[in-house]
């Protein structure tokens, strides 16, 4: 009898372990409802259609083309029954009136109602708030005010009130201290949020006067900002690991006028352009490629033209996906699907690692 009970107990624990779902794979997507068919979305848990914007106080579909695109993306749920489709507000440069609109009770209420209506009308599954950024400066010239922090909290409360039970509510978070400390009331917001998408990319931005790893996994002596730094900062201030989503970049950043010192890493430079992963080979002629074993990040330098390149590749994406599993995070997300190859791209590496198929 004792052995039978022990066997049942072991079987129970093994069953529980096997039933634990893998971390989520979340894809931001800026394309249309036709192009989405060219990607294999097996293993993708969420597609976040980017972006919708404010029209007056309300979340709005900008035009007929966007409406058709969203409908086409939602159609993917027939092919991938476990897929969820979210809409996203804002983006970099896409939230010009957010601070003003959300500074009134009427504005927050109108937005919450209109969001719930769009989710229901389009058979979507939720919204991701990408306001860059509440209470601190973001896109040049956009209004921000200290009250944004509390207004964001109330906005989330109202969204939960009007959205259906089971609808997903998430937001994109800047990967730096100023955002962590000033933009969000984490204790009040996180109980109402399904997950926070940590933008652990653009950590060296287009405004930076020095090169570095724009999406490094770990900090180095020369660069504090990293994915791991952001995750640990959020955990330190009470954000549960199971609600944190780590970010990966399906694009790189090129800097010019970079001296041939340390292969261009941590040198003065000026942002020149971005390159999507699907175009890496054709746009990186003349570069020599390197690996930072501390940051767990690739980089490249073109000494003839004094160009520095920082990016994610298959190795770094695999390590980020592994990190997500080892640290019990909610998932991994990336910006954005249109930058990936249609086959044998970074998404496939991510999905394989998350599901233990490497």
């Amino acid at each position: 009898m004792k052995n039978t009970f022990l066997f049942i107990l072991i079987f129970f624990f093994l069953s529980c372990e096997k039933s634990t779902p893998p971390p989520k794979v979340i894809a931001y997507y800026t394309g249309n409802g036709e192009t989405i068919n060219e990607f294999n979305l097996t293993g993708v848990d969420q597609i976040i259609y980017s972006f919708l914007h404010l029209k007056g106080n309300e979340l709005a579909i900008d035009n007929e083309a966007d409406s058709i695109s969203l409908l086409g993306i939602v159609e993917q749920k027939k092919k991938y029954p476990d897929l969820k489709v979210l809409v996203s507000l804002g983006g970099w440069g896409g939230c010009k009136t957010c601070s003003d609109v959300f500074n009134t009770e009427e504005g927050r209420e109108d937005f919450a109602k209109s969001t719930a209506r769009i989710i229901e009308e389009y058979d979507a599954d939720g919204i991701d708030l990408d306001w860059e950024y509440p209470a601190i400066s973001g896109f040049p010239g956009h209004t921000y005010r200290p009250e944004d922090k509390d207004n964001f909290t109330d906005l989330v409360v109202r969204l939960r009130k009007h959205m259906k039970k089971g609808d997903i509510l998430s937001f994109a978070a800047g990967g730096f201290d100023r955002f962590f400390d000033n933009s969000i009331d984490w204790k009040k917001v996180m109980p109402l949020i399904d997950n926070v998408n940590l933008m652990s990319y653009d950590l060296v931005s287009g405004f930076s006067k020095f090169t570095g790893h724009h999406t490094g996994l770990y900090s180095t002596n020369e660069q504090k900002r990293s994915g791991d730094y952001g995750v640990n900062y959020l955990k330190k201030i009470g954000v549960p690991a199971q609600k944190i989503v780590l970010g990966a970049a399906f694009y790189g950043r090129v800097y010019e006028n970079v001296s041939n010192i340390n292969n261009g890493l941590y040198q003065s430079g000026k942002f020149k352009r971005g390159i999507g992963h699907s175009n890496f080979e054709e746009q990186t002629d003349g570069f020599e490629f390197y690996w930072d074993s501390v940051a767990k990040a690739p980089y490249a330098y073109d000494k003839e033209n004094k160009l520095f390149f920082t990016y994610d590749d298959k190795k770094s994406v695999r390590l980020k996906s592994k990190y997500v599993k080892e640290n019990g995070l909610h998932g991994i997300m990336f910006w954005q699907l249109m930058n990936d190859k249609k086959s044998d791209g970074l998404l496939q590496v991510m999905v394989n690692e998350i599901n233990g198929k490497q």
Side-chain angles (χ1 to χ4, degrees):
M1 183 71 178
K2 183 177 179 181
N3 289 339
T4 302
F5 176 75
L6 183 60
F7 175 79
I8 293 172
L9 194 62
I10 292 172
F11 179 79
F12 173 76
F13 280 114
L14 287 175
S15 298
C16 289
E17 186 176 341
K18 288 180 181 178
S19 64
T20 302
K24 305 293 186 186
V25 174
I26 300 173
Y28 284 88
Y29 177 69
T30 64
N32 59 43
E34 290 295 325
T35 306
I36 193 74
N37 290 294
E38 300 175 19
F39 293 94
N40 181 0
L41 301 181
T42 302
V44 177
D45 296 281
Q46 294 179 23
I47 291 286
I48 302 180
Y49 179 53
S50 309
F51 290 99
L52 304 188
H53 303 99
L54 289 172
K55 185 175 182 179
N57 289 351
E58 297 188 349
L59 183 68
I61 306 292
D62 290 335
N63 49 54
E64 185 179 358
D66 282 353
S67 177
I68 294 171
S69 294
L70 181 54
L71 288 169
I73 296 164
V74 170
E75 277 285 309
Q76 295 297 309
K77 296 198 289 182
K78 294 179 180 178
K79 185 177 180 180
Y80 305 96
D82 295 328
L83 180 67
K84 305 295 184 184
V85 176
L86 281 66
V87 296
S88 184
L89 163 73
W92 183 249
C95 224
K96 182 177 183 179
T97 63
C98 285
S99 181
D100 292 332
V101 169
F102 299 148
N103 196 41
T104 69
E105 183 175 340
E106 180 184 12
R108 297 190 296 272
E109 182 72 7
D110 288 347
F111 175 82
K113 287 180 177 178
S114 63
T115 297
R117 185 168 60 248
I118 285 176
I119 292 171
E120 184 171 4
E121 288 179 356
Y122 283 83
D123 192 28
D125 301 286
I127 185 170
D128 180 70
L129 301 172
D130 194 359
W131 175 2
E132 300 182 27
Y133 307 97
I136 62 173
S137 60
F139 190 84
H142 283 197
T143 301
Y144 62 96
R145 47 173 61 87
E147 293 84 0
D148 291 341
K149 182 175 182 178
D150 290 335
N151 291 338
F152 185 86
T153 301
D154 187 64
L155 183 68
V156 168
V157 170
R158 291 172 187 271
L159 283 166
R160 273 293 175 222
K161 174 185 174 183
H162 291 290
M163 291 165 61
K164 299 190 301 294
K165 184 178 180 181
D167 282 347
I168 298 168
L169 179 54
S170 64
F171 68 93
F176 49 93
D177 292 7
R178 194 161 51 94
F179 181 92
F180 299 146
D181 294 338
N182 299 289
S183 294
I184 307 295
D185 189 330
W186 298 95
K187 290 183 178 179
K188 291 181 180 179
V189 166
M190 288 313 299
L192 301 171
I193 292 288
D194 291 285
N195 56 275
V196 52
N197 293 333
L198 178 63
M199 293 187 286
S200 42
Y201 42 74
D202 292 341
L203 301 178
V204 176
S205 72
F207 299 104
S208 176
K209 297 180 180 179
F210 293 90
T211 67
H213 297 296
H214 98 84
T215 183
L217 179 54
Y218 290 101
S219 303
T220 66
N221 290 335
E222 296 81 5
Q223 182 178 332
K224 179 176 72 172
R225 291 182 181 181
S226 70
D228 175 69
Y229 176 83
V231 167
N232 285 317
Y233 200 110
L234 291 178
K235 288 163 67 175
K236 182 177 68 176
I237 59 178
V239 178
Q242 60 269 25
K243 287 195 174 187
I244 299 173
V245 176
L246 183 69
F250 283 20
Y251 65 98
R253 287 181 166 274
V254 176
Y255 292 79
E256 61 184 350
N257 303 323
V258 180
S259 297
N260 187 9
I261 303 170
N262 196 31
N263 300 316
L265 184 59
Y266 307 129
Q267 305 303 311
S268 62
K270 179 183 177 183
F271 175 67
K272 180 177 178 64
R273 67 178 185 274
I275 304 177
H277 176 70
S278 61
N279 297 319
F280 275 10
E281 287 84 355
E282 62 196 63
Q283 296 195 38
T284 53
D285 286 343
F287 281 86
E288 292 186 37
F289 296 86
Y290 304 93
W291 176 258
D292 187 327
S293 59
V294 178
K296 305 300 182 188
Y299 62 104
Y301 183 66
D302 178 345
K303 60 184 178 182
E304 181 177 345
N305 296 297
K306 296 186 176 181
L307 300 175
F308 176 84
F309 184 38
T310 168
Y311 59 104
D312 260 330
D313 64 2
K314 289 185 176 182
K315 183 177 180 179
S316 64
V317 165
R318 185 178 294 112
L319 290 173
K320 284 183 176 182
S321 302
K322 185 178 180 181
Y323 176 96
V324 165
K325 292 195 295 183
E326 291 176 343
N327 289 275
L329 303 188
H330 184 83
I332 185 166
M333 63 83 173
F334 60 92
W335 181 267
Q336 59 112 350
L337 186 59
M338 286 293 288
N339 287 333
D340 201 17
K341 296 179 179 179
K342 301 297 174 56
S343 62
D344 192 32
L346 297 181
L347 174 58
Q348 192 61 58
V349 172
M350 185 179 288
V351 168
N352 286 347
E353 180 62 45
I354 287 294
N355 291 282
K357 295 181 179 179
Q358 296 288 6

